[in-house]
Amino acid sequence: MIQMSLFNEPTPVLPVTYYPEFLSQEEAGVLYQHCLKLQWQQNQIKMVGKTLLVPRLECIYGDEGCEYLYSKSVLLKPLPWTSLLAELRDRITVLTGYKFNIVIGNQYRSGQDSIGWHADNESSMGLNPAIASVSLGAERKFQIKPIGGKPTDFWLEHGSLLVMHPGCQSTHLHQVPKTKKLVGTRINLTFRPHVGGKK
Ligand SMILES: O=C(O)CCC(=O)C(=O)O
């Protein structure tokens, strides 16, 4: 299906759904404060023979045994769900019908923190995972593009939810680029399935 914009240019149909006001401002504020206290760490990644610091902080919570390895070098071992994170997981499941076993947090401390173009296609999530991404704090640009195609920008607002539907990780790449603008802390929570999970 091709949609046309006002100027008769095709608007890409993306395998994502964006809910700008998924959480109320009050709920988002409480969750942001809770997330600041999670167990953040700056991991190291091995790339082209070098060991580099991941340019953001990360944390992981989830079902027992659902370890998550990405880029063949960063192994995240989940801590047990906090009650707020479990409530949020269940609320997203009620809205979308998708089930999740882990949540990976990304904390972008400034405009210099980022995540480059990638797809979340680790085999531990099984085939065609749905991934649900909650944003808290400072607004950052999120870009998504078909592999070999042009990016579309989303400004992910405090309290918003972006759902990447099954298939998205096989056909599209996404990133949160660095920015020279002065921006505050942003926290992102990505809820994911896991083949080792019980739910
Ligand atoms: O911070 C975001 O919005 C995206 C995070 C992301 O791409 C990831 O965790 O794989």
Side-chain angles (χ1 to χ4, degrees):
M1 183 183 38
I2 294 184
Q3 291 175 346
M4 302 302 267
S5 74
L6 268 183
F7 305 103
N8 246 8
E9 290 195 356
T11 308
V13 177
L14 295 165
V16 301
T17 306
Y18 182 54
Y19 301 88
E21 291 170 11
F22 173 63
L23 299 174
S24 70
Q25 290 297 297
E26 195 189 336
E27 287 169 330
V30 170
L31 188 63
Y32 179 72
Q33 291 306 323
H34 174 72
C35 288
L36 284 176
K37 291 182 240 141
L38 297 176
Q39 285 201 27
W40 297 98
Q41 57 190 49
Q42 187 166 22
N43 293 307
Q44 293 188 334
I45 189 165
K46 289 199 184 83
M47 274 171 91
V48 285
K50 287 188 190 156
T51 301
L52 305 167
L53 279 175
V54 172
R56 60 192 179 277
L57 304 183
E58 294 172 305
C59 66
I60 180 169
Y61 289 77
D63 298 343
E64 206 183 322
C66 292
E67 294 190 348
Y68 189 87
L69 177 73
Y70 75 86
S71 299
K72 295 188 187 140
S73 71
V74 183
L75 179 65
L76 305 174
K77 295 185 181 181
L79 292 166
W81 291 100
T82 68
S83 51
L84 268 190
L85 291 177
E87 265 173 45
L88 187 62
R89 173 201 64 200
D90 293 345
R91 199 161 150 185
I92 300 171
T93 295
V94 168
L95 176 71
T96 62
Y98 299 135
K99 294 197 173 146
F100 307 102
N101 301 99
I102 53 171
V103 58
I104 297 179
N106 290 302
Q107 184 180 148
Y108 303 87
R109 297 157 293 180
S110 73
Q112 285 313 292
D113 277 357
S114 62
I115 188 163
W117 286 114
H118 69 287
D120 294 311
N121 49 15
E122 285 72 24
S123 57
S124 62
M125 288 191 289
L127 265 188
N128 296 324
I131 297 178
S133 162
V134 172
S135 291
L136 301 165
E139 235 173 82
R140 289 287 294 266
K141 181 161 74 179
F142 172 93
Q143 298 184 295
I144 181 162
K145 63 177 182 185
I147 294 166
K150 286 192 187 146
T152 299
D153 298 348
F154 286 85
W155 289 91
L156 298 182
E157 294 154 78
H158 180 53
S160 67
L161 170 70
L162 181 91
V163 178
M164 294 187 266
H165 294 287
C168 181
Q169 307 304 326
S170 314
T171 54
H172 287 69
L173 303 175
H174 58 276
Q175 72 164 352
V176 175
K178 293 187 195 304
T179 172
K180 291 206 171 88
K181 288 187 198 142
L182 257 190
V183 288
T185 302
R186 168 173 183 262
I187 288 176
N188 167 257
L189 301 169
T190 52
F191 291 83
R192 302 160 188 248
H194 193 289
V195 288
K198 289 172 256 108
K199 292 206 174 64

